[in-house]
Amino acid sequence: MEMAEFRTELHRWLDAHADELEPAFSPPGTLDEQIAQMQRVKAILFEADWIRYGWPERVGGLGGSPMLRTELGAALAARDLADPGLFSLIEVLAPTLIDFAPAELAAEVVPRLLSGAEIWCQGFSEPGTGSDLASLTCRAEPEGDATWVINGQKVWTSLAQYSDRCVLLTRTGPVDARHRGITAFFVDMDTPGVSVAPLEMINGQHEFAEVFFDNVAVPADRMLGDLHGGWAVAMSILPYERSSCFWQRIAYLYRRLEKLVEVAPDDDRAAEVIGNAFVQLHALRARSRVTQHRLADGQALGAETSIDKVLVATAEHATYDAARRLLPGVVEMDDSATGAAWRSEYLYSRAATIYGGTAEVQRNIIARRLLDLGSDE
Ligand SMILES: Cc1cc2nc3c(=O)[nH]c(=O)nc-3n(C[C@H](O)[C@H](O)[C@H](O)COP(=O)(O)OP(=O)(O)OC[C@H]3O[C@@H](n4cnc5c(N)ncnc54)[C@H](O)[C@@H]3O)c2cc1C
């Protein structure tokens, strides 16, 4: 289906099914409520085929441009039907399975992710390993030909306590082999030896967790990509994490700005503050649109997506800084449902300069690799 037709038909269908799709809770809702809403919406969209567009037929999709699924994510975010941060985990993890898992495994599990039957998580960061991912130490050792045994710890793993599976990076070579000694596995979270300890975030939600692996036996056919080829798996996520995921986030931020305009004072100061946030958001949208089209045209995305990452964090801060300035005391003290929603989102917005690569590290990449302003040494 072409984009224009998809967009028209999708919005017509979303209008017609608005009551069925609407969350049963007032925002912000608990994380349990948000997850249940997302999975329910995914199930309805799968049944009605909408969430199958843009995914390959060999994994239960209906084919077409990946931009179709991006458009769906943005439509859901703009209508507050699914949290874009939670929903975009599909976009981060499903392509990994499609590109690196054995074909039968991808065909079995991707439809389960799309249809809301499962949640998956991304086990990359460790207590001593965030920005410097190549130093990770969670170890996988072979046991015979058919099994790998995993020992170690991950941290900040979003939705681990809700997840059925984990795309996990492990150390299979010496630590000083850095990115050449890493292998990815697709691990069932109910395997004996996996334990999850949720962590509380600044907004009170337990969205991420520590995950411990204690002699966890994983079948060899759950290896994603090649032995010691985990870096390629990790890097393959980047084009999606920095394109389609951002498009959903942008739609969500526009919606927040609209909500702010509805309640902000009608004066020059408010116009300036909102105007500033709008300019940041619009610059991000223009940049992200180019990135989406490059991806859809089959171009390789690389270091230049660090610019998109800096812009998304800047726009997110600007949007919620505007809310804090124009709604005095609301973010800090208002305990009504509306106040709690602004507070929760304001606090979460501070994470935008951390997740998916910190702002400092992105600026280093822009300086060194795009502007040629000196090496890492
Ligand atoms: C909401 C949220 C969700 C997340 N979800 C996941 C997830 O699902 N899975 C997962 O694996 N991880 C997840 N993360 C973790 C995230 O990827 C890491 O927090 C991030 O990569 C930074 O790593 P770190 O926290 O170890 O910080 P560090 O790398 O220790 O950095 C600490 C500080 O030092 C700065 N710094 C580090 N290196 C340099 C350098 N070379 N030059 C200049 N400054 C530097 C950083 O910018 C930062 O300010 C999540 C994080 C957040 C906030």
Side-chain angles (χ1 to χ4, degrees), residues 125-127 136-140 149-155 168-171 193-195 210-216:
S125 304
E126 299 180 1
L136 66 86
T137 60
C138 178
R139 188 138 204 108
V149 177
I150 298 173
N151 282 287
Q153 184 195 340
K154 296 290 169 177
V155 72
L168 183 73
L169 291 185
T170 63
R171 169 71 49 201
V194 178
S195 54
E210 295 175 290
V211 185
F212 300 91
F213 297 85
D214 187 10
N215 288 322
V216 175

Side-chain angles (χ1 to χ4, degrees), residues 122-126 129-132 155-158 201 207-208 348 351 354-358 360-361 364:
Q122 179 187 12
F124 285 17
S125 304
E126 299 180 1
T129 300
S131 303
D132 185 16
V155 72
W156 319 128
T157 316
S158 296
M201 301 196 309
E207 188 185 295
F208 47 35
Y348 195 92
I354 304 173
Y355 57 68
T358 70
E360 292 80 6
V361 169
N364 279 352

Side-chain angles (χ1 to χ4, degrees), residues 50-316:
W50 290 110
I51 205 168
R52 297 171 63 202
Y53 285 101
W55 294 102
E57 291 171 18
R58 64 195 153 89
V59 293
L62 295 174
S65 165
M67 286 178 70
L68 299 179
R69 61 192 205 224
T70 307
E71 184 69 21
L72 171 66
L76 298 179
R79 290 168 179 251
D80 281 334
L81 296 177
D83 178 274
L86 306 181
F87 190 81
S88 65
L89 272 171
I90 303 176
E91 201 57 48
V92 174
L93 297 173
T96 308
L97 265 285
I98 293 168
D99 291 344
F100 293 97
E104 320 77 66
L105 177 62
E108 178 198 334
V109 297
V110 171
R112 297 186 61 75
L113 182 69
L114 297 180
S115 66
E118 291 190 2
I119 294 179
W120 302 351
C121 59
Q122 179 187 12
F124 285 17
S125 304
E126 299 180 1
T129 300
S131 303
D132 185 16
L133 190 59
S135 67
L136 66 86
T137 60
C138 178
R139 188 138 204 108
E141 301 274 3
E143 191 177 85
D145 289 339
T147 307
W148 287 78
V149 177
I150 298 173
N151 282 287
Q153 184 195 340
K154 296 290 169 177
V155 72
W156 319 128
T157 316
S158 296
L159 306 190
Q161 69 273 39
Y162 296 94
S163 290
D164 303 281
R165 331 256 193 177
C166 180
V167 174
L168 183 73
L169 291 185
T170 63
R171 169 71 49 201
T172 42
V175 174
D176 57 14
R178 305 246 328 141
H179 62 277
R180 287 181 296 276
I182 292 172
T183 304
F185 288 92
F186 189 56
V187 178
D188 291 348
M189 292 293 280
D190 62 0
T191 313
V194 178
S195 54
V196 177
L199 294 165
E200 185 174 350
M201 301 196 309
I202 192 173
N203 67 357
Q205 303 271 34
H206 292 77
E207 188 185 295
F208 47 35
E210 295 175 290
V211 185
F212 300 91
F213 297 85
D214 187 10
N215 288 322
V216 175
V218 177
D221 61 8
R222 288 301 190 85
M223 188 182 287
L224 299 175
D226 297 330
L227 176 62
H228 307 317
W231 197 250
V233 176
M235 291 304 107
S236 76
I237 286 176
L238 195 74
Y240 302 100
E241 208 173 42
R242 302 270 173 89
S243 59
S244 27
C245 296
F246 286 178
W247 200 246
Q248 299 173 18
R249 194 93 211 151
I250 292 164
Y252 178 83
L253 291 175
Y254 269 108
R255 177 85 187 102
R256 290 303 171 275
L257 216 46
E258 277 172 16
K259 285 188 168 184
L260 184 58
V261 169
E262 286 164 16
V263 293
D266 186 11
D267 59 25
D268 288 351
R269 178 171 165 272
E272 188 188 332
V273 171
I274 289 172
N276 177 50
F278 182 81
V279 167
Q280 309 278 358
L281 198 46
H282 199 69
L284 163 66
R285 189 168 194 272
R287 167 76 188 189
S288 186
R289 184 174 183 279
V290 174
T291 303
Q292 307 284 341
H293 280 277
R294 289 183 55 224
L295 185 69
D297 291 348
Q299 294 182 37
L301 302 185
E304 73 289 345
T305 61
S306 289
I307 297 173
D308 302 49
K309 179 67 179 70
V310 169
L311 289 178
V312 86
T314 307
E316 180 131 5

